Amino acid sequence: MAPTVALLRTALNAASLLATAPPGRVAFELFRHPMRRSRVRSAERELHDLAVTEEMTVNGKRVRVYRWGDGRRPVLLVHGWQSRASRFAPYVRGLLDLGMSPIGFDAPGHGDSTGRATTILEYREVIGRLAERHGPFEAAVAHSFGVCCTFLAMAEGVPVGRLVAVAGVAEFDFLVQGFAAMLGLNDRLKHDLVRRIERVLLPGAGEIWHRFDATRRPERITAPILVVHDEDDDVVPIRQAHLLHAAYGEPQLRLITTQGLGHRRVLSERTVVDNALAFLTEPAPEPPAAPSTVLVSVPTPEPQPSVLPVPVPVPAP
């Protein structure tokens, strides 16, 4: 455990024994603010600088939008928490080669957009307005927190032909449980955090634990879905992928699992990118007569590359 996290855990839990409000307020601010702002990596710079940029304003925050291609066959790119649009550079190259037009954005409080915080509703607002400007989207590729935001937008009417969900969050409640587990919050602080999310962060948003949960309204999404998740993901456990698999089932949702890539590297891994691009161009799936298996090559830390079987589909837990 990082020394800073350990110190926060001790201080917040100890303070809550005297009064819940002050440490609860600290925990809430940590929950809703990205802890850092990602920069464009050197490997991403060339494509990043080739994008046509535009802006929109959401809740007073300027959102930076990036577009490549000629506008035909638009594909939406939705990044995760503390990330930015440039992380999709490997997909942008492939999508352009396929004659598609990638469209990404830096969410409020991320990348080159302004603001210090954001919510799933702001993601939803950005995605909906991009659909009005550039949609309907032939497909979307989303990562991590961006996955549940994209499911929300699709469930509420944003047209997306296909979805690739990488290392995605399925349950909205997982965000609270995962954050509380990371900081080791006691039950008193966890309940206080839930109350602040409902009353302060997302007031008037309805039954948020149902509405924002990607597994609760599968009947509203009919697009084919490819879910990719690493078994060693220590940020968003693979259980979230299995929940999506159970909610949507086959043949609508196909699940590919990998090993040794973790939460972030799985997004840019070459074999994952290739499988995602292939999925975006294949014809509508027919119901399979029996479960099938494909092989996906995944590099390992060993000097000699290996080929690991990646079952598709993976049985629900």
Side-chain angles (χ1 to χ4, degrees):
M1 181 187 303
T4 303
V5 174
L7 182 61
L8 275 171
R9 169 183 294 191
T10 300
L12 293 174
N13 287 327
S16 73
L17 299 177
L18 301 175
T20 304
R25 188 161 49 247
V26 172
F28 176 62
E29 294 302 321
L30 291 171
F31 176 82
R32 69 172 181 165
H33 287 99
M35 299 298 290
R36 57 181 172 79
R37 190 177 288 262
S38 296
R39 298 181 178 180
V40 178
R41 295 171 179 163
S42 56
E44 304 164 348
R45 175 58 67 183
E46 181 179 358
L47 269 178
H48 182 78
D49 291 344
L50 289 175
V52 175
T53 61
E54 57 186 68
E55 289 187 344
M56 66 173 66
T57 301
V58 174
N59 290 338
K61 306 165 191 173
R62 293 196 308 277
V63 175
R64 179 67 61 86
V65 177
Y66 307 89
R67 294 189 290 110
W68 297 264
D70 59 11
R72 289 178 291 183
R73 306 179 68 192
V75 176
L76 178 69
L77 309 173
V78 187
H79 69 75
W81 196 253
Q82 297 185 156
S83 187
R84 61 181 302 152
S86 63
R87 295 295 180 268
F88 289 100
Y91 296 83
V92 171
R93 295 181 189 278
L95 292 169
L96 289 172
D97 290 341
L98 293 171
M100 298 176 175
S101 299
I103 300 174
F105 64 91
D106 293 337
H110 294 71
D112 290 340
S113 294
T114 64
R116 295 185 54 245
T118 191
T119 68
I120 189 172
L121 286 179
E122 290 184 347
Y123 266 75
R124 166 68 180 86
E125 175 73 12
V126 173
I127 293 171
R129 288 168 62 179
L130 286 176
E132 292 174 358
R133 287 187 187 181
H134 306 290
F137 297 118
E138 182 160 320
V141 182
H143 177 236
S144 192
F145 178 61
V147 169
C148 67
C149 298
T150 306
F151 269 103
L152 171 65
M154 294 172 67
E156 298 189 347
V158 171
V160 176
R162 285 176 177 268
L163 172 62
V164 177
V166 183
V169 173
E171 299 171 296
F172 190 63
D173 180 65
F174 166 77
L175 298 173
V176 175
Q177 300 303 328
F179 178 80
M182 179 188 71
L183 280 184
L185 300 182
N186 59 32
D187 288 343
R188 182 178 301 178
L189 287 174
K190 191 186 301 183
H191 294 323
D192 184 81
L193 178 60
V194 169
R195 182 183 63 82
R196 290 176 189 271
I197 291 172
E198 293 173 341
R199 299 182 183 180
V200 180
L201 187 65
L202 300 166
E207 297 292 333
I208 62 173
W209 309 108
H210 178 87
R211 179 187 174 191
F212 299 156
D213 190 317
T215 69
R216 297 295 185 91
R217 299 184 291 176
E219 72 282 358
R220 294 196 176 196
I221 297 176
T222 59
I225 303 166
L226 175 64
V227 170
V228 183
H229 214 111
D230 193 79
E231 294 180 355
D232 302 310
D233 190 328
D234 60 356
V235 177
V236 178
I238 196 169
R239 176 176 180 272
Q240 296 294 302
H242 289 308
L243 290 172
L244 288 174
H245 184 262
Y248 291 87
E250 297 181 38
Q252 183 183 5
L253 186 147
R254 183 187 310 168
L255 174 59
I256 293 179
T257 62
T258 61
Q259 293 180 327
L261 298 176
H263 184 66
R264 295 175 181 81
R265 194 155 66 92
V266 67
L267 179 64
S268 59
E269 167 58 35
R270 187 68 257 170
T271 53
V272 172
V273 175
D274 289 345
N275 274 270
L277 295 175
F279 171 76
L280 296 183
T281 57
E282 67 184 35
E286 296 292 337
S292 60
T293 300
V294 300
L295 296 179
V296 175
S297 174
V298 178
T300 70
E302 299 300 325
Q304 297 300 321
S306 61
V307 178
L308 300 178
V310 178
V312 177
V314 171

